[in-house]
PDB file of all heavy atoms in Angstrom:
ATOM      1  N   VAL L  41      -8.236   1.086  -6.253  1.00  0.00           N
ATOM      2  CA  VAL L  41      -9.119   0.999  -7.531  1.00  0.00           C
ATOM      3  C   VAL L  41      -8.702  -0.160  -8.313  1.00  0.00           C
ATOM      4  O   VAL L  41      -9.536  -0.985  -8.758  1.00  0.00           O
ATOM      5  CB  VAL L  41      -9.208   2.314  -8.229  1.00  0.00           C
ATOM      6  CG1 VAL L  41      -9.875   2.193  -9.572  1.00  0.00           C
ATOM      7  CG2 VAL L  41      -9.841   3.410  -7.410  1.00  0.00           C
ATOM      8  N   ILE L  42      -7.424  -0.320  -8.669  1.00  0.00           N
ATOM      9  CA  ILE L  42      -6.964  -1.315  -9.496  1.00  0.00           C
ATOM     10  C   ILE L  42      -7.267  -2.677  -8.934  1.00  0.00           C
ATOM     11  O   ILE L  42      -7.685  -3.605  -9.632  1.00  0.00           O
ATOM     12  CB  ILE L  42      -5.412  -1.158  -9.776  1.00  0.00           C
ATOM     13  CG1 ILE L  42      -5.250   0.098 -10.590  1.00  0.00           C
ATOM     14  CG2 ILE L  42      -4.796  -2.343 -10.424  1.00  0.00           C
ATOM     15  CD1 ILE L  42      -3.790   0.507 -10.671  1.00  0.00           C
ATOM     16  N   ARG L  43      -6.952  -2.827  -7.594  1.00  0.00           N
ATOM     17  CA  ARG L  43      -7.211  -4.175  -6.995  1.00  0.00           C
ATOM     18  C   ARG L  43      -8.751  -4.397  -6.973  1.00  0.00           C
ATOM     19  O   ARG L  43      -9.092  -5.645  -7.232  1.00  0.00           O
ATOM     20  CB  ARG L  43      -6.784  -4.113  -5.591  1.00  0.00           C
ATOM     21  CG  ARG L  43      -5.264  -4.274  -5.364  1.00  0.00           C
ATOM     22  CD  ARG L  43      -4.879  -4.407  -4.022  1.00  0.00           C
ATOM     23  NE  ARG L  43      -5.559  -5.577  -3.451  1.00  0.00           N
ATOM     24  CZ  ARG L  43      -5.084  -6.499  -2.785  1.00  0.00           C
ATOM     25  NH1 ARG L  43      -3.835  -6.540  -2.417  1.00  0.00           N
ATOM     26  NH2 ARG L  43      -5.856  -7.565  -2.355  1.00  0.00           N
ATOM     27  N   SER L  44      -9.518  -3.494  -6.811  1.00  0.00           N
ATOM     28  CA  SER L  44     -11.109  -3.721  -6.748  1.00  0.00           C
ATOM     29  C   SER L  44     -11.380  -4.151  -8.212  1.00  0.00           C
ATOM     30  O   SER L  44     -12.252  -5.138  -8.308  1.00  0.00           O
ATOM     31  CB  SER L  44     -11.732  -2.431  -6.500  1.00  0.00           C
ATOM     32  OG  SER L  44     -12.241  -2.456  -5.249  1.00  0.00           O
ATOM     33  N   CYS L  45     -10.882  -3.441  -9.227  1.00  0.00           N
ATOM     34  CA  CYS L  45     -11.345  -3.802 -10.568  1.00  0.00           C
ATOM     35  C   CYS L  45     -10.776  -5.243 -10.868  1.00  0.00           C
ATOM     36  O   CYS L  45     -11.638  -6.002 -11.484  1.00  0.00           O
ATOM     37  CB  CYS L  45     -10.709  -2.788 -11.593  1.00  0.00           C
ATOM     38  SG  CYS L  45     -11.438  -1.219 -11.539  1.00  0.00           S
ATOM     39  N   LEU L  46      -9.602  -5.662 -10.482  1.00  0.00           N
ATOM     40  CA  LEU L  46      -9.183  -6.954 -10.788  1.00  0.00           C
ATOM     41  C   LEU L  46     -10.013  -8.015 -10.029  1.00  0.00           C
ATOM     42  O   LEU L  46     -10.316  -8.953 -10.568  1.00  0.00           O
ATOM     43  CB  LEU L  46      -7.660  -7.091 -10.358  1.00  0.00           C
ATOM     44  CG  LEU L  46      -6.589  -6.562 -11.277  1.00  0.00           C
ATOM     45  CD1 LEU L  46      -5.254  -6.512 -10.691  1.00  0.00           C
ATOM     46  CD2 LEU L  46      -6.625  -7.268 -12.690  1.00  0.00           C
ATOM     47  N   ALA L  47     -10.332  -7.797  -8.823  1.00  0.00           N
ATOM     48  CA  ALA L  47     -11.056  -8.727  -8.041  1.00  0.00           C
ATOM     49  C   ALA L  47     -12.418  -8.859  -8.545  1.00  0.00           C
ATOM     50  O   ALA L  47     -12.948 -10.002  -8.539  1.00  0.00           O
ATOM     51  CB  ALA L  47     -11.091  -8.262  -6.586  1.00  0.00           C
ATOM     52  N   ASP L  48     -13.033  -7.750  -9.049  1.00  0.00           N
ATOM     53  CA  ASP L  48     -14.489  -7.855  -9.584  1.00  0.00           C
ATOM     54  C   ASP L  48     -14.411  -8.409 -10.988  1.00  0.00           C
ATOM     55  O   ASP L  48     -15.454  -9.171 -11.311  1.00  0.00           O
ATOM     56  CB  ASP L  48     -15.059  -6.561  -9.481  1.00  0.00           C
ATOM     57  CG  ASP L  48     -15.322  -6.032  -8.138  1.00  0.00           C
ATOM     58  OD1 ASP L  48     -15.188  -6.848  -7.222  1.00  0.00           O
ATOM     59  OD2 ASP L  48     -15.529  -4.684  -7.989  1.00  0.00           O
ATOM     60  N   TRP L  49     -13.582  -8.106 -11.776  1.00  0.00           N
ATOM     61  CA  TRP L  49     -13.653  -8.374 -13.311  1.00  0.00           C
ATOM     62  C   TRP L  49     -12.855  -9.655 -13.805  1.00  0.00           C
ATOM     63  O   TRP L  49     -13.268 -10.107 -14.803  1.00  0.00           O
ATOM     64  CB  TRP L  49     -13.337  -7.176 -14.040  1.00  0.00           C
ATOM     65  CG  TRP L  49     -14.428  -6.068 -13.977  1.00  0.00           C
ATOM     66  CD1 TRP L  49     -14.320  -4.951 -13.235  1.00  0.00           C
ATOM     67  CD2 TRP L  49     -15.694  -6.143 -14.552  1.00  0.00           C
ATOM     68  NE1 TRP L  49     -15.421  -4.348 -13.189  1.00  0.00           N
ATOM     69  CE2 TRP L  49     -16.341  -5.003 -14.019  1.00  0.00           C
ATOM     70  CE3 TRP L  49     -16.431  -7.031 -15.373  1.00  0.00           C
ATOM     71  CZ2 TRP L  49     -17.701  -4.668 -14.418  1.00  0.00           C
ATOM     72  CZ3 TRP L  49     -17.746  -6.745 -15.694  1.00  0.00           C
ATOM     73  CH2 TRP L  49     -18.299  -5.566 -15.272  1.00  0.00           C
ATOM     74  N   THR L  50     -11.867  -9.987 -13.108  1.00  0.00           N
ATOM     75  CA  THR L  50     -11.017 -11.041 -13.467  1.00  0.00           C
ATOM     76  C   THR L  50     -11.704 -12.322 -13.637  1.00  0.00           C
ATOM     77  O   THR L  50     -11.693 -12.904 -14.885  1.00  0.00           O
ATOM     78  CB  THR L  50      -9.795 -11.332 -12.603  1.00  0.00           C
ATOM     79  OG1 THR L  50      -8.960 -10.178 -12.621  1.00  0.00           O
ATOM     80  CG2 THR L  50      -8.941 -12.460 -13.053  1.00  0.00           C
ATOM     81  N   PRO L  51     -12.602 -12.870 -12.777  1.00  0.00           N
ATOM     82  CA  PRO L  51     -13.263 -14.113 -12.961  1.00  0.00           C
ATOM     83  C   PRO L  51     -14.273 -14.070 -14.187  1.00  0.00           C
ATOM     84  O   PRO L  51     -14.384 -14.875 -14.950  1.00  0.00           O
ATOM     85  CB  PRO L  51     -13.974 -14.390 -11.643  1.00  0.00           C
ATOM     86  CG  PRO L  51     -13.245 -13.577 -10.602  1.00  0.00           C
ATOM     87  CD  PRO L  51     -12.652 -12.351 -11.408  1.00  0.00           C
ATOM     88  N   LEU L  69      -7.914 -16.120  -9.607  1.00  0.00           N
ATOM     89  CA  LEU L  69      -7.898 -14.954  -8.836  1.00  0.00           C
ATOM     90  C   LEU L  69      -7.364 -15.156  -7.404  1.00  0.00           C
ATOM     91  O   LEU L  69      -6.527 -14.430  -6.860  1.00  0.00           O
ATOM     92  CB  LEU L  69      -9.271 -14.375  -8.671  1.00  0.00           C
ATOM     93  CG  LEU L  69      -9.342 -13.009  -7.841  1.00  0.00           C
ATOM     94  CD1 LEU L  69      -8.502 -11.876  -8.521  1.00  0.00           C
ATOM     95  CD2 LEU L  69     -10.852 -12.573  -7.709  1.00  0.00           C
ATOM     96  N   PHE L  72      -3.680 -15.322  -7.600  1.00  0.00           N
ATOM     97  CA  PHE L  72      -3.097 -14.033  -7.838  1.00  0.00           C
ATOM     98  C   PHE L  72      -2.901 -13.267  -6.410  1.00  0.00           C
ATOM     99  O   PHE L  72      -1.992 -12.696  -6.090  1.00  0.00           O
ATOM    100  CB  PHE L  72      -4.026 -13.202  -8.686  1.00  0.00           C
ATOM    101  CG  PHE L  72      -3.653 -11.753  -8.855  1.00  0.00           C
ATOM    102  CD1 PHE L  72      -2.582 -11.339  -9.606  1.00  0.00           C
ATOM    103  CD2 PHE L  72      -4.373 -10.768  -8.258  1.00  0.00           C
ATOM    104  CE1 PHE L  72      -2.246 -10.012  -9.743  1.00  0.00           C
ATOM    105  CE2 PHE L  72      -4.123  -9.466  -8.294  1.00  0.00           C
ATOM    106  CZ  PHE L  72      -3.014  -9.139  -9.018  1.00  0.00           C
ATOM    107  N   GLU L  73      -4.009 -13.460  -5.636  1.00  0.00           N
ATOM    108  CA  GLU L  73      -3.986 -12.873  -4.336  1.00  0.00           C
ATOM    109  C   GLU L  73      -2.923 -13.460  -3.340  1.00  0.00           C
ATOM    110  O   GLU L  73      -2.338 -12.851  -2.649  1.00  0.00           O
ATOM    111  CB  GLU L  73      -5.322 -12.894  -3.579  1.00  0.00           C
ATOM    112  CG  GLU L  73      -6.419 -12.124  -4.274  1.00  0.00           C
ATOM    113  CD  GLU L  73      -6.172 -10.604  -4.109  1.00  0.00           C
ATOM    114  OE1 GLU L  73      -5.516 -10.145  -3.095  1.00  0.00           O
ATOM    115  OE2 GLU L  73      -6.639  -9.805  -4.895  1.00  0.00           O
TER     116      GLU L  73
END
Side-chain angles (χ1 to χ4, degrees):
V41 168
I42 291 168
R43 286 189 53 137
S44 253
C45 290
L46 282 172
D48 292 345
W49 290 103
T50 297
L69 180 61
F72 174 75
E73 292 291 337

